[in-house]
Amino acid sequence: MRERITYIQKLGHSLEASSIQVSDSEINGPDIDAVREDRLTFALNELPSELHSLLKTAHELHIRWVSPVAYETVSPLLARLPPGFHIFYTPGKEGDAASTRLCSSLSKIFGHVACSTPNDSFTSLPSDRFSHSTAFQYFQPLESLESLTTYAKTQLCKSSDPSCISRLDALTKAASLDLSYDTISHALKITALWPYSSRPIHAISRHNVRTEVGVLSDERTPTMEVHELGVSGLLTVIGQDKKPSVTMFSFPSRHRDAESFFSAKFLTPTGLHPTLQIRLISGASPDPSSFCSPHAYFTLPRTIFADKYQLSDPLFLASKNLTSLRYTSQPVDLEAPEYVMKTWGSSILVELAPPETDQGDWTAEIPLHLRYLSPTSGGYKDIEVPYPAVFWACNAEEGTKFPTNPFEKANLGYDGLFGPRTVFWHVDPKPEGGYGARTMSGITVPVLDLDKAKWVNIGTAVVVTLGFLWVVSKLVFMARPDILECVHEPFGDAFYYGPERLSPRFANDPIAREESGFAASTYETIFTRISNTIKNNPTKRIFIKDIIHYLSPPSSQPASIAPSLSSVADTSTTPNPTVVPLPLLQQFHFTFLIRHPRRAIPSYYRCTIPPLSAVTGFDYFLPSEAGYDELRRIFDYLVAEGVVGPHISGREGAPKPGEVSITVIDADDLLDHPEEVVRAYCKEVGIDFKQEMLEWDDESNKRAKEAFEKWNGFHDDAIGSTSLKAREGGKKEVSREEEDAKWREKFGEEAARVIRETADANVKDYEYLKGFAMKI
């Protein structure tokens, strides 16, 4: 292991060698104003076995953390990144990017790192520009290095080495940390930087560790080339030198100080499409002899994004003091909610348009767009967007080369977007509160308030009633296009046809899956579709009629979260019988429509035999599609998790503030007392009842026919109806013998037996749910 400790003072500051005391194992000196940088270089065989084996799978791995607090630095330690946790990665071989190993190891070391695999969670860096880019990039906000220091104390420090623990504790005050590995050097370099402040000169060397200590100052001499930086001062190798030696050297550097500052903030009011304003104190180029242009490089977390199409309009850009969008990572889903995003977010590089003459402060504005966020108590979430890295990109003279220097930092994300002769003149981030203030721009985002039941959207968790009635129930609400937008059975697409399908019905029929048009549908794409419906109907509530067993594996199989939704943590406190994480389920106001299986099962059976099967595409009957078992288990789960209940709609008492009553409607009650049931239901979900909800015109039938097209044949009876009226004579009681005879006559002996067995198997679950039915 090798160690290099460097103190760098500002230009014009220096230290006499006589003021430093050197022993065989230690160096001490007076307090000085300086930046401190520590660099440790490990051979692979010096690392913990887990870290050693992880690095062996990488061709390149660069991990960079930057504090969210503004700090001052000095030349030549000038390279900047947005605050947060950055990963730049190239896998060692094909297949490594599909492994969960990197992400799980990073979570163990740094705390929760919200990635699964590089293929799923990272974005690709362009490979058609310059060779010094890695293959993948990842970013997330990370407040501190607390988890890292805890891990390192157990893995790297011996109990007999208190100096090791003390060094790691000092990381809590570091401004940045870099860990870099590549297969050429076969070494891991760990570099920590502490900001410019008053600090004592002190270092201890350990056994078999070469420790070099430099006390240097920024230096500028007439003999230096325009593309060079210089330092001068004192160097000491502890255990080798008896006193410091004087040194002075210069080197080419791509990172320079623009001697300027910027701040950033969101303009108010923010809304869902906030504008981030960057304020720079000067519009003057730092190098008048070269062609230079100012840029801002953003790493935007998955909560927010920039629209590349909006940033392609020259007139719009000019109005914001922008020249162009030079780069955006891909892909950027412009519609997906934050909680279904797999990738970390996006990076963008924007060229700014400075004023033609330097007139002091000037601003540029970056339009951004918030994603829908997961719900929370109170109805608001505070998020933060990191300050960008702001710099002037200037072209060095033809023939200028930039070999690696002792303080060089590469693989920053943006450096690979420019040619090898580009020099980056960095503008220092300095918030209004100065150094020590946060370099994060905060914004408060409205979200679903979990404490309030009456949300903008109503998700109806139905249906056990597999026939005419549940279509009629939807027609009731289709008669209110003024306030409701109806979505018809979206989750069946993923359940039957998509890559995450749970049903065996089309498992061996790829042609049917393709012809359905939903072969690529995942549970994530369904939620995205619902989100788009919400976005496109901002003044309406969303009414979703669906079959609850589409969210659960059939035949009581154990459930696990759908892969496409794995980025959303399942916060369930009881076993989740669905493939959807609890935070997504909490966004819906669930209501339940049930029907006795002795009436629902034969109705559904009819759709799976000729002649209707030729239209529905369901050419055999599956008892597991009855769905009563799934409905009961999901119902109990939603009650246990507090999504609904404990108050029961239509019973004595009232729900507590923010509580969603258990709302179960029995089909027989709806058919016998349609107006009373619909009125009570409307009151429960916060809709004003109107008489036309019980009668629908041709326009309503047209909308229904269009909505039901993907499930042809299942709804023909209801589509031709015009109203919902109480049935004459009420519910007619029929004996088992009469039912069996009717089923044998209509479907045949064997079919009647299957219908009876299926109905009987589900009666217990139906009667359990019936116990919660709304009382009229």
Side-chain angles (χ1 to χ4, degrees):
M1 185 180 103
R2 303 190 308 276
E3 181 177 33
R4 188 188 81 193
I5 299 172
T6 309
Y7 297 86
I8 300 185
Q9 305 172 92
K10 290 184 177 180
L11 181 69
H13 293 230
S14 62
L15 195 67
E16 294 293 333
S18 59
S19 64
I20 296 179
Q21 296 81 48
V22 181
S23 68
D24 289 340
S25 61
E26 193 170 343
I27 186 172
N28 289 285
D31 287 5
I32 59 173
D33 293 330
V35 172
R36 173 167 171 162
E37 182 191 73
D38 289 10
R39 175 170 291 178
L40 303 176
T41 303
F42 295 89
L44 285 183
N45 59 9
E46 296 176 309
L47 298 171
S49 58
E50 182 180 34
L51 187 55
H52 180 181
S53 59
L54 174 66
L55 294 178
K56 292 287 284 184
T57 67
H59 179 73
E60 279 189 271
L61 179 61
H62 308 281
I63 300 171
R64 313 202 184 284
W65 175 80
V66 180
S67 170
V69 174
Y71 64 92
E72 185 178 7
T73 186
V74 298
S75 177
L77 305 174
L78 297 170
R80 291 281 192 172
L81 267 173
F85 182 68
H86 304 257
I87 304 171
F88 301 96
Y89 168 69
T90 299
K93 62 180 185 298
E94 187 177 352
D96 286 340
S99 170
T100 61
R101 185 175 186 179
L102 176 63
C103 291
S104 60
S105 296
L106 291 175
S107 289
K108 185 181 295 184
I109 297 170
F110 289 94
H112 177 61
V113 178
C115 68
S116 53
T117 70
N119 277 346
D120 287 341
S121 304
F122 289 36
T123 52
S124 298
L125 286 166
S127 59
D128 57 344
R129 298 205 176 189
F130 306 103
S131 60
H132 51 277
S133 291
T134 55
F136 293 100
Q137 175 183 11
Y138 178 86
F139 169 81
Q140 72 174 49
L142 184 65
E143 189 69 20
S144 73
L145 297 174
E146 182 179 351
S147 294
L148 170 66
T149 57
T150 301
Y151 172 85
K153 285 176 185 178
T154 61
Q155 296 295 318
L156 299 178
C157 295
K158 298 178 181 178
S159 57
S160 59
D161 187 3
S163 66
C164 176
I165 294 176
S166 176
R167 292 280 297 274
L168 289 170
D169 284 337
L171 277 179
T172 59
K173 297 182 180 179
S176 68
L177 179 72
D178 297 297
L179 293 84
S180 290
Y181 168 81
D182 62 74
T183 53
I184 297 175
S185 66
H186 277 281
L188 174 66
K189 295 180 180 178
I190 303 178
T191 307
L193 181 145
W194 287 264
Y196 184 81
S197 68
S198 178
R199 63 183 74 254
I201 297 171
H202 175 71
I204 299 174
S205 178
R206 287 174 289 168
H207 181 64
N208 290 332
V209 177
R210 185 183 190 276
T211 302
E212 179 185 73
V213 180
V215 183
L216 307 174
S217 299
D218 183 12
E219 185 69 43
R220 302 173 192 177
T221 66
T223 59
M224 287 168 49
E225 298 288 340
V226 67
H227 59 279
E228 290 183 328
L229 296 177
V231 293
S232 64
L234 306 171
L235 289 180
T236 306
V237 177
I238 300 177
Q240 176 181 312
D241 298 331
K242 299 299 183 182
K243 62 179 182 178
S245 58
V246 177
T247 186
M248 177 186 292
F249 57 95
S250 61
F251 45 85
S253 178
R254 298 184 73 193
H255 298 281
R256 312 292 291 266
D257 186 2
E259 299 181 358
S260 183
F261 305 98
F262 81 94
S263 61
K265 67 177 182 179
F266 282 109
L267 298 179
T268 55
T270 55
L272 294 176
H273 306 283
T275 295
L276 186 70
Q277 183 189 75
I278 302 173
R279 179 174 295 277
L280 298 94
I281 67 166
S282 173
S285 169
D287 183 6
S289 64
S290 302
F291 174 77
C292 299
S293 56
H295 293 76
Y297 176 75
F298 292 83
T299 48
L300 300 172
R302 57 172 55 126
T303 53
I304 198 166
F305 66 94
D307 184 347
K308 67 177 182 178
Y309 302 105
Q310 184 182 30
L311 293 174
S312 64
D313 182 345
L315 292 177
F316 176 81
L317 291 169
S319 71
K320 304 295 183 182
N321 283 344
L322 306 177
T323 299
S324 65
L325 175 66
R326 293 298 187 193
Y327 167 77
T328 180
S329 58
Q330 296 293 337
V332 179
D333 192 323
L334 304 184
E335 304 292 346
E338 176 265 342
Y339 44 79
V340 301
M341 290 281 292
K342 288 183 178 180
T343 53
W344 63 266
S346 57
S347 58
I348 63 170
L349 177 68
V350 181
E351 183 178 342
L352 312 181
E356 294 184 1
T357 58
D358 184 18
Q359 299 174 349
D361 288 15
W362 63 285
T363 61
E365 297 178 359
I366 315 296
L368 299 171
H369 305 273
L370 289 164
R371 297 188 184 279
Y372 290 106
L373 308 183
S374 55
T376 188
S377 295
Y380 291 94
K381 276 191 175 180
D382 292 325
I383 68 166
E384 291 185 309
V385 175
Y387 270 36
V390 177
F391 53 84
W392 290 76
C394 303
N395 292 333
E397 293 181 358
E398 190 74 30
T400 303
K401 296 185 182 300
F402 292 94
T404 301
N405 72 60
F407 307 102
E408 186 73 354
K409 187 181 288 187
N411 290 288
L412 301 170
Y414 58 81
D415 54 343
L417 305 175
F418 294 88
R421 290 191 298 109
T422 303
V423 177
F424 303 100
W425 294 79
H426 291 275
V427 182
D428 213 19
K430 193 174 183 180
E432 292 180 0
Y435 296 123
R438 290 181 69 77
T439 49
M440 305 286 284
S441 300
I443 185 171
T444 299
V445 185
V447 299
L448 165 64
D449 187 351
L450 291 178
D451 296 330
K452 296 179 180 179
K454 305 302 186 278
W455 187 45
V456 67
N457 303 293
I458 305 170
T460 56
V462 292
V463 169
V464 172
T465 311
L466 300 172
F468 171 85
L469 183 67
W470 53 259
V471 184
V472 169
S473 71
K474 186 172 180 184
L475 281 166
V476 168
F477 294 98
M478 277 192 162
R480 294 300 307 277
D482 55 324
I483 60 169
L484 297 177
E485 185 68 25
C486 294
V487 180
H488 182 66
E489 292 188 33
F491 292 102
D493 304 345
F495 178 81
Y496 282 116
Y497 304 115
E500 298 171 333
R501 58 189 175 276
L502 303 175
S503 171
R505 181 172 287 282
F506 299 105
N508 300 314
D509 194 347
I511 294 176
R513 295 199 303 268
E514 287 296 329
E515 289 179 348
S516 74
F518 303 110
S521 291
T522 64
Y523 284 90
E524 175 190 9
T525 64
I526 305 304
F527 277 101
T528 300
R529 250 190 275 160
I530 293 170
S531 175
N532 291 341
T533 302
I534 296 170
K535 185 175 181 179
N536 294 331
N537 297 274
T539 63
K540 295 183 180 181
R541 303 172 77 174
I542 309 303
F543 180 89
I544 303 171
K545 198 290 300 178
D546 219 325
I547 297 178
I548 200 66
H549 76 246
Y550 289 168
L551 303 182
S552 182
S555 304
S556 299
Q557 298 176 63
S560 59
I561 300 303
S564 65
L565 301 178
S566 60
S567 62
V568 182
D570 186 18
T571 55
S572 301
T573 59
T574 55
N576 186 344
T578 80
V579 298
V580 179
L582 178 61
L584 298 187
L585 296 173
Q586 287 172 325
Q587 296 188 51
F588 298 93
H589 181 149
F590 282 88
T591 59
F592 306 86
L593 175 62
I594 60 173
R595 190 184 186 190
H596 200 293
R598 287 164 57 185
R599 284 173 281 282
I601 299 303
S603 175
Y604 181 59
Y605 188 93
R606 182 174 68 100
C607 297
T608 65
I609 61 172
L612 269 181
S613 59
V615 181
T616 63
F618 284 36
D619 52 12
Y620 59 92
F621 176 74
L622 278 174
S624 62
E625 289 176 337
Y628 289 83
D629 168 68
E630 289 82 0
L631 177 54
R632 176 175 179 169
R633 288 187 293 114
I634 294 174
F635 174 87
D636 285 343
Y637 165 73
L638 295 174
V639 173
E641 293 291 345
V643 179
V644 297
H647 179 260
I648 302 174
S649 179
R651 307 290 177 91
E652 291 184 3
K656 297 177 182 178
E659 180 184 327
V660 175
S661 296
I662 295 170
T663 306
V664 178
I665 295 175
D666 185 85
D668 285 322
D669 294 333
L670 180 61
L671 289 174
D672 289 339
H673 309 284
E675 181 172 340
E676 293 88 339
V677 170
V678 174
R679 277 185 182 275
Y681 182 89
C682 287
K683 180 180 178 181
E684 180 58 42
V685 299
I687 296 173
D688 58 311
F689 172 80
K690 289 190 176 182
Q691 197 64 38
E692 57 260 36
M693 297 176 72
L694 301 178
E695 299 175 357
W696 38 91
D697 54 21
D698 291 342
E699 186 62 31
S700 296
N701 265 317
K702 181 181 178 182
R703 287 195 300 271
K705 187 174 183 181
E706 291 172 354
F708 300 158
E709 275 183 348
K710 72 175 181 179
W711 301 112
N712 279 335
F714 289 101
H715 316 106
D716 293 352
D717 293 341
I719 289 175
S721 65
T722 59
S723 63
L724 178 59
K725 297 178 180 179
R727 57 187 173 188
E728 295 181 7
K731 181 177 68 174
K732 296 179 174 60
E733 295 297 335
V734 180
S735 67
R736 286 176 64 91
E737 292 74 16
E738 290 174 319
E739 275 182 339
D740 289 338
K742 180 180 179 181
W743 295 344
R744 283 194 299 270
E745 179 182 356
K746 190 170 185 178
F747 302 116
E749 187 73 35
E750 178 59 21
R753 182 189 63 79
V754 171
I755 292 171
R756 172 57 65 193
E757 289 178 356
T758 306
D760 287 350
N762 290 285
V763 167
K764 186 176 180 180
D765 290 326
Y766 163 78
E767 290 178 341
Y768 172 80
L769 294 163
K770 172 73 172 176
F772 296 90
M774 181 187 293
K775 301 295 185 182
I776 304 301

